[in-house]
Amino acid sequence: MSTRKHLFKFLLITFIALICNLSIWYFMDSERALEFLGGYIIELSLSVDNLFLFLLIFSSFGISPNHQKRVLSYGIFGAIILRFIFVILGIAVINTFKWILYLFGILLIISGIKIMINKEDDVSFENSKLIKLLKKIVPVTKELHGEKFFVRIDKVLHATPLFALLFLIEGSDLLFAIDSIPAIFAITTNPFIIYSSNILAILGLRNLYFILEKLHSTFEYVKYGVGVILIFTGIKLAISFKYHISVGISIIIIVSILLISVISSIIISKIKQ
C-alpha cells in the first residue's frame, strides 16, 4: 500500500475521532469534549515515540513490510485489551489512593527525561530481556515460517521469530501504557473519555507507522517534544492538588510543544541535506 493510501486511512480515522468528539460535546458537555480531545492528542503524540521504537525493532530483525503489517495488526488488538485493563485498574487505584497521582507525576517526569537522553541506536533487541523470557517459555525457531506465529517441529511446539517480534512489541507497548495512561489522568479520570480517546488514537497507529517509516528521518527530533509533553503532564499531576491547570490550557501547551518539535525536525532535516 502506498504512503498516500496510508495517509488517507489515517486522516479518515482522525475524522471519525473528531466526529466522536463533537458527539461527546453534543450529548455530554463541552468540558468532556475538551477532555476527549486532550486525551486523544496526548495518546497520539506519545505514540509517535513508540512507533519509532517499532521501526528500530523491525529494521533490527530485517522483517519485510508484509510481515510487519501482520504483527502490527495483532499488536494493536493486544493494545486495545491492555488499555482497557490499565484504565479500569488505574481508575480503581486513584479512587482508593488519591496520593498515587503524585507518584504518577514523578514517574512521568522521569520517563520524559529518559526519552530525551535515551540513545536507542545502542539497543540490541535480539538479546533483550523479553526475548530471553520468551525463549525460557517456548523454543523459538531461527527462520521465519511464512506468516505463522507457531509451528510444530518433531512434535514440539515452537514460536517463530514473527511471534517473538509480536511478544517484544506487546511488551514495549505495556511499558508505553504505563506512561500514556497516567499522562491522560492529568486531563481527566473519566474512564469512558480515557478509553474512547485511547482506542481511537490507537486505531490510526498502523497507518501512521507506515507513514513514519517513509518519513522517520524528517521527524527524528519529535521524541524530544514527546519527552517535554511527558514532563509537562507529570508536573501537572504532581501539583494538581494545589494548582489546577485547565484542560483547554493543557491542550494548547501540548499541541504547541508537538508543533514546535515537528517544525524543528523539518528545519533541521533540511539543513542536514
Side-chain angles (χ1 to χ4, degrees):
M1 188 181 293
S2 66
T3 303
R4 184 176 294 180
K5 287 184 178 179
H6 283 299
L7 178 60
F8 173 76
K9 286 190 174 182
F10 174 72
L11 291 176
L12 178 62
I13 294 171
T14 303
F15 177 73
I16 292 170
L18 290 175
I19 295 297
C20 290
N21 199 8
L22 288 173
S23 299
I24 290 170
W25 174 79
Y26 182 79
F27 291 105
M28 298 176 79
D29 54 52
S30 59
E31 185 67 20
R32 292 301 184 198
L34 268 178
E35 290 175 355
F36 176 92
L37 181 61
Y40 181 79
I41 292 171
I42 286 177
E43 177 67 26
L44 203 57
S45 58
L46 298 187
S47 295
V48 171
D49 187 66
N50 210 38
L51 291 179
F52 279 129
L53 177 61
F54 292 172
L55 278 170
L56 286 173
I57 292 173
F58 284 131
S59 61
S60 175
F61 283 89
I63 300 299
S64 68
N66 285 336
H67 290 145
Q68 289 178 22
K69 290 176 182 178
R70 179 171 170 79
V71 172
L72 285 170
S73 296
Y74 278 90
I76 289 171
F77 178 74
I80 291 172
I81 297 172
L82 282 175
R83 291 302 188 282
F84 179 78
I85 295 170
F86 267 65
V87 169
I88 298 301
L89 289 177
I91 297 296
V93 169
I94 288 174
N95 288 335
T96 307
F97 308 103
K98 295 288 185 183
W99 55 265
I100 202 74
L101 288 174
Y102 288 117
L103 180 59
F104 282 159
I106 293 169
L107 288 175
L108 288 174
I109 293 169
I110 293 171
S111 295
I113 294 170
K114 281 184 176 180
I115 284 176
M116 296 178 73
I117 64 175
N118 184 40
K119 293 182 179 180
E120 292 171 330
D121 294 335
D122 300 329
V123 178
S124 175
F125 296 106
E126 294 90 340
N127 299 317
S128 71
K129 291 181 180 178
L130 284 171
I131 296 296
K132 288 179 179 178
L133 174 63
L134 177 64
K135 288 180 177 179
K136 288 181 180 179
I137 299 171
V138 61
V140 179
T141 64
K142 292 183 179 180
E143 303 83 17
L144 290 171
H145 291 261
E147 292 191 341
K148 293 180 179 178
F149 287 135
F150 294 96
V151 292
R152 286 193 177 275
I153 300 174
D154 297 329
K155 297 183 179 180
V156 177
L157 185 67
H158 287 67
T160 67
L162 209 59
F163 181 79
L165 272 175
L166 178 62
F167 188 77
L168 185 58
I169 282 177
E170 288 293 358
S172 64
D173 187 70
L174 178 63
L175 296 174
F176 167 71
I178 295 173
D179 286 339
S180 65
I181 299 299
I184 296 179
F185 287 152
I187 300 293
T188 180
T189 55
N190 182 291
F192 170 74
I193 298 297
I194 294 172
Y195 189 65
S196 59
S197 61
N198 253 255
I199 295 311
L200 282 165
I202 288 171
L203 288 175
L205 292 186
R206 185 173 179 269
N207 292 294
L208 184 58
Y209 168 83
F210 289 104
I211 296 170
L212 287 176
E213 185 186 28
K214 302 293 183 184
L215 305 172
H216 70 276
S217 59
T218 306
F219 298 105
E220 60 180 319
Y221 294 99
V222 171
K223 74 169 189 176
Y224 296 107
V226 172
V228 174
I229 289 171
L230 279 175
I231 292 170
F232 166 71
T233 53
I235 292 172
K236 187 178 186 298
L237 273 180
I239 66 173
S240 60
F241 289 104
K242 280 197 173 184
Y243 304 99
H244 175 67
I245 302 174
S246 70
V247 177
I249 292 174
S250 297
I251 291 173
I252 292 171
I253 292 172
I254 291 167
V255 171
S256 298
I257 293 169
L258 193 60
L259 284 175
I260 290 169
S261 66
V262 169
I263 293 169
S264 299
S265 294
I266 293 171
I267 292 171
I268 294 171
S269 176
K270 286 185 177 179
I271 292 172
K272 283 184 174 181
Q273 288 177 354

